[in-house]
Amino acid sequence: MTERAARRLMLVHAHPDDESINNGATMARYAAEGAQVTLVTCTLGERGEVIPAGLRHLSGAALGAHRRQELDAAMRELGVEDVRLLGGAGRYQDSGMMGLPDNDDPGCLWQADVDQAAEHLVAVIREVRPQVLVTYDDNGGYGHPDHIQAHRIAMRAVDLAADPAVRPDLGGPWRIAKVYWNRVPRSVAEAAFARLEDDLPELPFDTPATVGDVPGVVDDERVTTRIDGTAYAAAKAAAMRAHATQIEVAEPYFALSNKLAQPVFTTEYYELVRGERAGEMETDLFAGIAGIAGTEGTEEVAP
């Protein structure tokens, strides 16, 4: 059996590209430092809007298959080798934007039973045994149904994975030491958009987004953790560029299908929502976890 890495980070995201936009620098940094980085993606983004004209014929399952290839390419740029699809490829489909008829598709993630979906994630948690898990807040960062559902599934799975009475056939129970939600401090976002206004004439985008378009922006005091990923800025940009159906990159900015320019954040921010905070502003997701130099970095629950 392969020896388990001392530090193990799991990220739960809704669609391919979310991970690179939100956490690409963090993932690249920890992977380069030898941590086990596991990405769990809940859907293949089958209802995403395609940017390049030459790929707009893709939709549904064909788009999902293409986006899986983009995801694999992006993870190669970040040095991440462990990528899982929740319940297997195609188990849960993209739900589309909130309020659309797509939300009613019985096969979409929004219609999934949260406990059943969480059991798929429990199996991965108990296999990998991460000390840290990263996902969205309860609004999914910006209200997308798949992001909200990914949050619900992740938080439920954290509880279920630690319960010895839940699905013992999925492996021994495991309690995750720290759970974080993706965040951007309001002051950081405002400063980045001020720079964008100055740089816009030199960019291939005509219109800037606004701070309100950035998922997870909160007042600065909500932010507990800052991960400096500036050394991995090129890796993050390359990973985002790999998601060509969804993202157009003009470093240090990018745009989605709405063509609204926004910053690429290479220092990434988080809010600790479960676990013990290590200092006024953490600079390491694993900070304060006992015994992190070994494999006992979080509590394994006795059966």
Side-chain angles (χ1 to χ4, degrees), residues 69-91:
Q69 293 176 354
E70 292 182 337
L71 179 61
D72 289 343
M75 293 305 95
R76 287 193 294 271
E77 297 291 352
L78 299 181
V80 173
E81 298 179 354
D82 190 15
V83 181
R84 317 291 182 98
L85 296 174
L86 186 69
R91 176 64 181 82

Side-chain angles (χ1 to χ4, degrees), residues 14-256:
H15 318 102
D17 78 40
D18 293 326
E19 80 299 320
S20 297
I21 295 170
N22 287 279
N23 312 114
T26 299
M27 295 170 74
R29 171 181 159 176
Y30 281 110
E33 292 177 354
Q36 169 69 40
V37 179
T38 298
L39 171 66
V40 181
T41 302
C42 295
T43 81
L44 287 174
E46 297 90 343
R47 291 188 166 101
E49 296 182 1
V50 177
I51 294 174
L55 295 175
R56 287 179 191 159
H57 62 283
L58 295 172
S59 63
L63 177 56
H66 187 89
R67 292 189 70 179
R68 174 59 197 270
Q69 293 176 354
E70 292 182 337
L71 179 61
D72 289 343
M75 293 305 95
R76 287 193 294 271
E77 297 291 352
L78 299 181
V80 173
E81 298 179 354
D82 190 15
V83 181
R84 317 291 182 98
L85 296 174
L86 186 69
R91 176 64 181 82
Y92 299 107
Q93 297 174 20
D94 189 339
S95 307
M97 299 301 289
M98 186 67 84
L100 296 179
D102 296 333
N103 303 164
D104 299 324
D105 183 339
C108 77
L109 188 68
W110 186 240
Q111 293 298 323
D113 179 275
V114 170
D115 276 6
Q116 290 178 3
E119 286 189 0
H120 294 302
L121 185 55
V122 167
V124 184
I125 290 172
R126 288 181 175 175
E127 174 193 343
V128 175
R129 293 171 128 54
Q131 296 106 339
V132 176
L133 183 142
V134 171
T135 191
Y136 315 103
D137 64 16
D138 54 1
N139 189 45
Y142 71 108
H144 191 293
D146 287 333
H147 288 236
I148 294 170
Q149 197 76 320
H151 158 87
R152 293 172 178 170
I153 291 165
M155 299 304 290
R156 182 63 174 145
V158 169
D159 292 334
L160 295 178
D163 187 344
V166 173
R167 294 297 302 272
D169 57 307
L170 296 179
W174 182 255
R175 181 172 291 123
I176 294 173
K178 301 177 84 173
V179 178
Y180 291 94
W181 292 346
N182 293 309
R183 292 301 190 196
V184 179
R186 192 171 305 280
S187 66
V188 170
E190 289 174 348
F193 275 93
R195 292 191 296 271
L196 171 58
E197 287 285 353
D198 292 336
D199 294 343
L200 193 63
E202 306 302 320
L203 298 177
F205 316 119
D206 294 329
T207 307
T210 67
V211 169
D213 294 316
V214 177
V217 173
V218 291
D219 292 341
D220 291 29
E221 56 267 25
R222 293 279 299 273
V223 174
T224 63
T225 311
R226 178 182 65 244
I227 301 300
D228 183 357
T230 52
Y232 303 95
K236 174 168 181 170
M240 292 174 63
R241 194 172 283 112
H243 291 290
T245 59
Q246 306 300 304
I247 306 173
E248 185 178 354
V249 180
E251 296 175 65
Y253 303 104
F254 76 101
L256 302 172

